[in-house]
Amino acid sequence: MLAFLQFTLILDFMIISPMGAILMPALHISPAQFGTVVSAYAFSAGVSGILAAGFADRFDRKKLLLFFYCGFILGTLLCGTAPNFHFLLMARMVTGLFGGVIGSVVLAITTDLFPFEMRGRVMGYVQSAFAASQVLGLPAGLYFSNLWGWHAPFLMIVSIGVVVGTVIFAKLQPISAHLKLQTDNNAFVHIRKTIFNLDYTLAFAVTALLSTGGFMLMPFGSDFTVNNLGIDMEHLPLIYLITGIGALFIGPIVGRLSDRFGKYTMFVAGGLLSMIMVMIYTHLGITPIHQVILVNVLLYMGVFSRMIPSQALMTAIPSPSNRGSFMAVSSSLQQMSGGIASVLAGLIVSRQTDGKLLHFEMIGYVVVGTTLTTIFMMYFIHRKVSGKK
C-alpha cells in the first residue's frame, strides 16, 4: 500500500520534468520560469515539513497520512485545471504543502514496523514506486499529454490517487504505538528538541545535500534529451519506459545487497557510479537512442544505490518518540535544498536560438561535488549507526 501511495506522490513530482519540453512552449515560459514551477513544490513542501514536525508524533500515523494525502490530491486537481503559468505555480505550491509531508510519514511508518536489518529490503520495495512511475506513469502521462494536452497527466494522477486513498482508508491498520512514548505536551517544544538535537545535525546536513543532484538534473532531462541529444518527442516515452523497467528490478536488488553487504558500502558504490554516469550524461551530444537508454539505466542504477541505503541508514538515527518529527524535518530540508537546486539549475542553464540547452555540463560538475561531499559525511553517519547496534 505504501509503495502504491509513493507511486502517485513520485509521479506527481516527476511528471513535470518530462513535460518540460511541452510545458515551456505551451505556457510561453523560459527555463528559469520552468525551474520556478519545479521549485515551488519543493519550497512549499519544505515549509509544510517544518510546520508539521511538531505534530508528526502526536497523531496516529494513518490519520496523518490520509489528511495530507487528501490535500495532495486536491493540489494535483488544481494543476490539472490550471489555465496559465501563475495558476500552475500556485497549484504546485498547494500540492507541495500537503505532498511534502507524506514521504516523511511513509518513512516513519516503515521504521515503526520493520527492524533495521530488514530496512534495506523494505526501502527497496517502497522505492520501487519510483521505477513503477517510470514504467507506467511517465510513458502514460506523456502519451496522454501528447494526445489531450499537458493537463491530462495531472488528472490521471488524481484518478489513481482517489483509488489509493480509498484502499489505505479501508485496509491500513492504525499506527499509534509511538503515542505511548510522548513526553512533550507542547508541539513547539517537540520540534525545537528535534531541530537542535546535536545527534541529528549531521543527518540533516547530509539529507539536504543528497537531494540536490536529482533536483538539478531531472527538471531539464526531457528538454536536454530532445534538444541536445536529438531524440524526438515520440520516442521519449520509450526511454522512460525501458529505464523504469531497469529500475524496477534494481531497487529490490539494491535493498537486499544493502542488508547483506552493508548500507554504507552500497552507498559508496552507488555514489561512484553516479558520478561517472553524470559526467558522461551531461557531456553528451547527438546520441543514438540505444546509447541514451543505456546511459539512463546506469545513471538510475547509481541513484538507487545511493538513495535506498541512505534512507535505511537515516531511519536508525532518531528515537521512536520523535521519529515522525525527525522525518518531517529531514523531508523539509530535502525539499528546500532541492528547490534551491532547481532555481540554481534554471539560472545556470540557458537556451540557444535553435533550442539547445547551454552549460548543462556545469550542472554535472556541481552534482559530482555534492556527491563526493555526501560520501565523506555519510561515513560518520555509518559509524554512529554501527555504534548503536
Side-chain angles (χ1 to χ4, degrees), residues 316-351:
I317 297 294
S319 60
S321 61
N322 60 3
R323 187 171 285 150
S325 181
F326 174 88
M327 297 300 180
V329 173
S330 294
S331 176
S332 176
L333 290 171
Q334 187 179 51
Q335 296 288 353
M336 285 194 284
S337 66
I340 293 170
S342 293
V343 172
L344 288 176
L347 295 174
I348 291 170
V349 172
S350 59
R351 191 185 301 279

Side-chain angles (χ1 to χ4, degrees), residues 15-26 34 142 219 222-223 351:
I15 198 68
I16 285 285
S17 172
M19 288 203 306
I22 301 171
L23 266 175
M24 282 189 267
F34 180 66
L142 286 171
S222 67
D223 205 348
R351 191 185 301 279

